Amino acid sequence: MKIKKQNIYITMLYTMVTAYMLGPMLSYKLGIPRIDNPLTLLLVPATLLIFFIENKTFNSKAGLMLMAVGLMTGWSAIHLFITPLDSVRVMDTFFFLSVAGLFYLLYLILSRHENPLRFVRRLLVYFCAFIIIPPVIEVLTGIQFVKSDEILAIEAGVIKGFFFNPNNLGTTALFFAPAVLIFFNIGVNKREYLFGWILFLSLGAIVFASASRTATMSYIILFILNLIYRNNGLFTLMTIGVTGAGLSMIPKQYIADFLLSIHGNAFLENISSRLYLFLFNLESDNSVGYRQEIYNYFWSNPPLLLYGYGPKNFQEYFGGHLSDSLGFENPHSFIIELYLGFGMISLIGFICYIIWYAVNVFLSQNLRNKQKAIGLAAIGLFILGGFIPSTILRMPFLWLPCFLIFLYSVLPQRDTAYNAYRYTP
């Protein structure tokens, strides 16, 4: 029996998504080597081989995007040859290289699939299950899925699911939320539309439970933007304004006392204490102060780099200028990490990716105005979200939501018959 190439590509994509999610958990719970590492090492040459044997006739817009993503990630490979790297940094580089491969696989799948929307929705549901279900099990059973120190343990009230820390969990949930809003509003019946809302609100609950303040505020803004673009946008704006005015009239001391009164429950205490620091005692938040050190030094002393220092190798640049060595590996900003690690060429590729994405989503004939607004918000959240986790080099799946939105925006629609009935919320 002849195996269709399309099935091979879909299997590769789902295999990688599964490996990314289950790799750390299986390593911690069963003691087996990380399955995502060898599969990523195979994915990079496999997608290169597929590129050489496949038809080179590209959708021009998708082809230019592949060039931008390929430039951004491909330039990093130079450090495999010019910079001494330990095994961890080698894998960081390959995880980043795999981003271009994931985009290419998605292009091949969506450009040929008989029903791209159905494929995208199934992929989103599959991935969101890895985001939503493990934290729920974690809270109900107290089972910790991934190794961490005492500060990030379940006993300390920290919820992180299959991720190493709650910031990674919150960032991932945040990045997938716009894609859910878009793809569960295109060509859906009322049942599918309601399911999309449940999925979106579930991701919001995970964002809140992660206690990431930036992710939580970003999700709230996304939620409000979605409400504004409904048919009752003016009423929504008025409601938000009245609610905001009402909240501003509540004495700050009442809010502070309420947040402090929650202490006693490990999970609620973690969330309330972080919110309290953010609202009333930001100068005492060590994580905020240390990030400001990194950003201020980089802003005041931007280096001119062609190749960069290599992945997570910034001691030469930051040494002697920060109060802690954490920034030597994790500058808590993807843009800074990208530039310091891989230099100007990779940064130019990233900028081209952002601009080309925004232009094509804005001009897309496949999206309505509301979906365009959410699509543009998605890339804005990606840029902002790059400041939340310590690094996104080892999380190539974070690029998938915007890849899906972009490809649907530029590829010809092939599912007209399936979308003959369109539910308009």
Side-chain angles (χ1 to χ4, degrees):
M1 182 179 66
K2 184 178 180 180
I3 300 177
K4 294 182 178 180
K5 290 189 292 185
Q6 179 81 336
N7 293 336
I8 294 176
Y9 302 153
I10 292 175
T11 300
M12 289 177 62
L13 181 65
Y14 271 94
T15 299
M16 290 310 306
V17 166
T18 305
Y20 292 144
M21 293 295 98
L22 295 184
M25 185 272 290
L26 293 176
S27 177
Y28 174 60
K29 304 300 288 186
L30 302 181
I32 64 176
R34 290 273 297 268
I35 59 173
D36 49 335
N37 289 349
L39 287 175
T40 300
L41 291 174
L42 290 174
L43 177 67
V44 174
T47 49
L48 281 174
L49 177 62
I50 292 170
F51 177 79
F52 284 114
I53 64 177
E54 271 287 356
N55 190 327
K56 299 303 186 295
T57 302
F58 264 86
N59 173 285
S60 59
K61 295 175 181 178
L64 288 173
M65 180 61 90
L66 180 61
M67 289 177 59
V69 176
L71 180 67
M72 176 186 69
T73 61
W75 185 252
S76 67
I78 197 170
H79 285 282
L80 296 173
F81 306 99
I82 67 171
T83 304
L85 301 176
D86 58 24
S87 58
V88 174
R89 288 181 171 85
V90 168
M91 282 311 309
D92 287 336
T93 305
F94 270 93
F95 271 103
F96 191 49
L97 284 169
S98 70
V99 170
L102 291 174
F103 178 83
Y104 184 53
L105 280 180
L106 282 175
Y107 168 75
L108 292 175
I109 294 169
L110 293 180
S111 63
R112 301 172 183 181
H113 203 282
E114 61 183 8
N115 194 323
L117 271 176
R118 183 172 59 191
F119 170 81
V120 171
R121 283 198 282 263
R122 286 178 175 176
L123 178 62
L124 287 176
V125 171
Y126 183 75
F127 197 96
C128 287
F130 287 113
I131 302 174
I132 297 168
I133 296 175
V136 174
I137 297 175
E138 198 174 27
V139 172
L140 294 178
T141 66
I143 295 174
Q144 184 168 284
F145 292 106
V146 180
K147 182 180 180 180
S148 62
D149 55 31
E150 293 182 1
I151 298 177
L152 297 177
I154 186 70
E155 291 79 11
V158 175
I159 303 169
K160 57 186 185 302
F162 283 166
F163 296 82
F164 283 106
N165 62 63
N167 281 344
N168 291 356
L169 172 65
T171 303
T172 306
L174 175 67
F175 284 3
F176 274 81
V180 169
L181 281 180
I182 290 176
F183 290 108
F184 282 88
N185 275 274
I186 301 176
V188 294
N189 55 41
K190 189 172 183 179
R191 181 180 177 183
E192 292 167 329
Y193 172 73
L194 291 176
F195 178 78
W197 260 105
I198 293 172
L199 198 59
F200 175 72
L201 293 175
S202 298
L203 290 173
I206 296 300
V207 170
F208 180 78
S210 73
S212 170
R213 292 157 294 192
T214 303
T216 300
M217 291 303 299
S218 299
Y219 178 86
I220 292 173
I221 293 172
L222 178 66
F223 184 86
I224 293 174
L225 177 64
N226 183 60
L227 291 181
I228 290 173
Y229 264 89
R230 291 174 63 85
N231 295 332
N232 57 351
L234 180 60
F235 176 76
T236 301
L237 277 175
M238 293 175 60
T239 303
I240 293 171
V242 171
T243 303
L247 291 175
S248 66
M249 297 173 64
I250 300 176
K252 291 184 178 180
Q253 188 60 45
Y254 289 0
I255 299 175
D257 291 343
F258 172 73
L259 292 175
L260 292 175
S261 69
I262 296 177
H263 287 198
N265 180 287
F267 298 109
L268 294 179
E269 182 175 338
N270 179 52
I271 297 172
S272 64
S273 61
R274 289 173 65 87
L275 185 58
Y276 179 86
L277 286 175
F278 178 71
L279 293 175
F280 303 106
N281 199 13
L282 192 61
E283 63 275 6
S284 300
D285 193 329
N286 294 330
S287 65
V288 173
Y290 186 63
R291 291 182 189 217
Q292 288 178 338
E293 283 186 51
I294 295 173
Y295 305 152
N296 290 338
Y297 181 76
F298 181 82
W299 182 257
S300 302
N301 304 275
L304 183 61
L305 301 173
L306 179 61
Y307 305 112
Y309 298 103
K312 297 184 178 181
N313 186 32
F314 313 134
Q315 182 173 358
E316 181 180 342
Y317 174 70
F318 283 123
H321 302 287
L322 300 178
S323 60
D324 191 270
S325 62
L326 179 62
F328 297 172
E329 293 188 359
N330 301 322
H332 293 279
S333 166
F334 173 69
I335 296 175
I336 295 177
E337 182 175 16
L338 179 68
Y339 181 63
L340 292 181
F342 307 125
M344 188 177 300
I345 304 300
S346 283
L347 181 61
I348 290 173
F350 179 67
I351 294 172
C352 291
Y353 162 74
I354 297 296
I355 294 174
W356 194 235
Y357 173 98
V359 168
N360 283 279
V361 169
F362 181 75
L363 298 177
S364 174
Q365 300 298 312
N366 296 342
L367 300 175
R368 299 193 299 270
N369 287 338
K370 174 182 177 179
Q371 293 154 357
K372 290 179 181 180
I374 300 298
L376 293 174
I379 200 66
L381 293 179
F382 185 87
I383 297 171
L384 179 63
F387 290 85
I388 301 174
S390 58
T391 178
I392 70 173
L393 286 185
R394 275 187 167 255
M395 296 188 286
F397 48 82
L398 289 181
W399 299 77
L400 292 178
C402 285
F403 284 172
L404 291 169
I405 295 169
F406 171 82
L407 287 169
Y408 185 81
S409 299
V410 303
L411 293 177
Q413 296 189 45
R414 298 167 56 89
D415 45 352
T416 306
Y418 179 76
N419 294 319
Y421 168 75
R422 304 175 74 90
Y423 170 70
T424 303

